[in-house]
């Protein structure tokens, strides 16, 4: 018993000695400003997550299922209810097996059809806004992970520290770890047989690639270029990357760039906000660092 406990005790002694060492404290002091910015971005990530709805359409199947009570009265109950349909979930469409399989073959068409995503300009704007919100959060989460790797490399701690005390290491370094992940909306087409003995489903995750595909399908159906509001580009990942490339990955407000700051978090922003009538035209889009974009809010920042 003592032999099993001893290695853990020795590790704890070595761990405490490392965190109290002059080398660790010196490194902690050297990168204090970098850690402080990491923590600011962690707080910013929480802000993005808290303000987002991260939902799009809903299914009407089962919307009134709460008005009835269901009971399985089969005398062979042990053979039934192996699979139970989710009637009350707004992101689940209960359907035939054929619809489940067709949704796998043409997910965008069936997502729009069965989750009430109509080909209308306001709806397209909602889809693009969702895509921008998710991209903003996704980039912030990725940026945090890159910064945490950089912090670890700056210290170069003993291997056993990262193996057994990784979280405690970050706490001693002053890093506030963010548990936030990107909450991609998911929509399901589900078939459950009457007896519950079989079930099949198709799941569509609204990640950046899927949202861009929905935007493109909606724009094709709307033919929005005929309208005044249509004199714009689709806010897709391709357009956001184009704007960053055009602006040389440099904040158009404070002029900080990826060249000066390799871990810089950059975002694409509407110069005239959408809430004030701004369109997603190339001329109305600019690259801002996260600090300038956070400060701007709904104010107008011109280049």
């Amino acid at each position: 018993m003592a032999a099993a406990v001893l290695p853990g005790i020795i590790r704890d002694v070595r761990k405490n000695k490392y965190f109290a060492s002059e080398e660790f404290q010196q490194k902690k002091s050297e990168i204090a400003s970098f850690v402080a910015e990491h923590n600011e971005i962690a707080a910013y990530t929480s802000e993005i997550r808290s303000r987002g709805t991260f939902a799009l359409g809903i299914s009407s199947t089962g919307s009134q299922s709460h008005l009835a009570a269901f009971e399985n009265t089969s005398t062979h109950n042990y053979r039934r209810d192996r699979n139970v349909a989710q009637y009350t979930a707004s992101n689940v469409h209960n359907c035939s097996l054929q619809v489940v399989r067709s949704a796998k073959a043409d997910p965008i068409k069936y997502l729009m059809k069965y989750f009430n995503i109509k080909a209308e300009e306001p709806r397209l704007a909602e889809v693009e806004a969702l895509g921008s919100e998710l991209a903003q959060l996704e980039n912030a989460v990725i940026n945090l992970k890159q910064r945490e790797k950089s912090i670890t490399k700056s210290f170069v701690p003993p291997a056993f520290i990262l193996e057994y005390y990784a979280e405690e290491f970050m706490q001693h370094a002053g890093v506030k770890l963010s548990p936030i992940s990107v909450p991609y909306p998911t929509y399901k087409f589900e078939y459950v047989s009457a007896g519950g003995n079989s079930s099949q489903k198709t799941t569509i995750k609204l990640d950046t690639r899927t949202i861009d595909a929905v935007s493109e399908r909606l724009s094709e159906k709307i033919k929005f270029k005929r309208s005044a509001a249509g004199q714009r580009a689709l806010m897709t990942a391709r357009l956001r990357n184009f704007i960053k490339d055009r602006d040389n990955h440099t904040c158009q407000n404070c002029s900080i760039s990826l060249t000066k700051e390799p871990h810089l978090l950059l975002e694409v922003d509407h110069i005239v906000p959408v809430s004030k009538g701004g369109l997603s035209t190339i001329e109305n889009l600019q690259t801002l660092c996260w600090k300038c974009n956070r400060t701007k809010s709904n104010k107008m920042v011109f280049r």
Side-chain angles (χ1 to χ4, degrees):
M1 181 70 178
V5 174
L6 189 58
I9 295 175
I10 294 174
R11 275 199 306 270
D12 275 348
V13 171
R14 290 177 63 200
K15 177 254 297 184
N16 292 333
K17 185 177 179 180
Y18 171 72
F19 288 137
S21 69
E22 184 178 340
E23 176 189 2
F24 180 84
Q25 296 303 323
Q26 183 177 343
K27 280 291 182 184
K28 180 178 177 180
S29 177
E30 287 175 2
I31 68 168
S33 61
F34 184 72
V35 170
E37 185 165 4
H38 170 282
N39 293 340
E40 283 187 82
I41 293 178
Y44 178 57
T45 305
S46 297
E47 285 179 22
I48 299 171
R49 179 65 183 88
S50 63
R51 72 171 181 248
T53 54
F54 306 108
L56 195 55
I58 60 172
S59 172
S60 60
T61 59
S63 61
Q64 296 182 334
S65 62
H66 62 287
L67 300 177
F70 172 79
E71 182 182 2
N72 189 339
T73 58
S74 171
T75 56
H76 301 287
N77 193 46
Y78 71 97
R79 297 285 299 173
R80 294 180 175 273
D81 289 347
R82 295 179 184 177
N83 297 285
V84 180
Q86 301 180 62
Y87 289 116
T88 58
S90 62
N91 68 321
V92 177
H93 181 71
N94 295 280
C95 54
S96 68
L97 184 58
Q98 182 59 47
V99 171
V100 170
R101 292 176 176 173
S102 296
K104 174 65 175 71
D106 194 346
I108 305 304
K109 173 184 175 180
Y110 280 77
L111 178 69
M112 291 170 56
K113 180 178 180 180
Y114 289 101
F115 286 93
N116 196 34
I117 303 175
K118 297 179 180 179
E120 300 170 344
E121 286 180 19
R123 200 63 162 143
L124 174 58
E126 288 177 19
V127 173
E128 291 180 307
L130 173 62
S132 294
E133 221 166 34
L134 285 171
Q136 190 179 23
L137 180 57
E138 185 177 56
N139 289 336
V141 170
I142 291 172
N143 187 274
L144 283 176
K145 290 178 180 178
Q146 291 173 339
R147 286 172 175 272
E148 286 161 13
K149 286 182 180 179
S150 181
I151 288 169
T152 301
K153 287 180 180 178
S154 297
F155 280 91
V156 193
F160 83 94
I161 291 289
L162 295 182
E163 183 177 355
Y164 296 100
Y165 307 102
E167 190 169 337
E168 188 174 346
F169 166 77
M170 286 298 187
Q171 290 173 351
H172 277 279
V175 176
K176 295 179 181 177
L177 294 172
S178 173
I180 293 174
S181 58
V182 182
Y184 295 111
T186 58
Y187 293 90
K188 300 176 183 178
F189 292 86
E190 188 174 62
Y191 162 76
V192 177
S193 65
N197 289 323
S198 65
S199 173
Q200 292 188 31
K201 65 181 176 182
T202 291
T203 301
I204 303 171
K205 181 173 76 171
L206 263 66
D207 54 17
T208 299
R209 185 176 60 173
T210 305
I211 290 173
D212 286 356
V214 173
S215 294
E216 288 167 1
R217 184 71 65 90
L218 283 173
S219 70
E220 288 170 5
K221 287 182 170 291
I222 294 169
K223 299 187 185 302
F224 66 92
K225 289 185 178 179
R226 296 178 181 176
S227 69
Q231 302 306 309
R232 60 181 181 78
L234 289 175
M235 276 298 291
T236 61
R238 185 183 305 153
L239 178 60
R240 286 189 287 271
N241 289 333
F242 171 81
I243 296 300
K244 289 179 183 179
D245 287 340
R246 182 201 66 186
D247 294 341
N248 296 317
H249 295 269
T250 302
C251 177
Q252 300 302 290
N253 187 48
C254 71
S255 299
I256 190 171
S257 68
L258 277 178
T259 304
K260 298 176 184 176
E261 173 52 68
H263 294 286
L264 182 63
L265 176 59
L266 291 171
E267 300 175 337
V268 173
D269 166 72
H270 287 80
I271 298 172
V272 179
V274 174
S275 61
K276 297 182 182 293
L279 300 178
S280 297
T281 57
I282 292 174
E283 297 75 20
N284 191 46
L285 294 172
Q286 65 179 345
T287 303
L288 291 182
C289 70
W290 72 276
K291 287 184 177 179
C292 289
N293 199 22
R294 186 190 203 187
T295 302
K296 177 192 171 186
S297 186
N298 279 335
K299 296 176 184 177
M300 296 186 188
V301 177
F302 293 97
R303 287 181 283 181

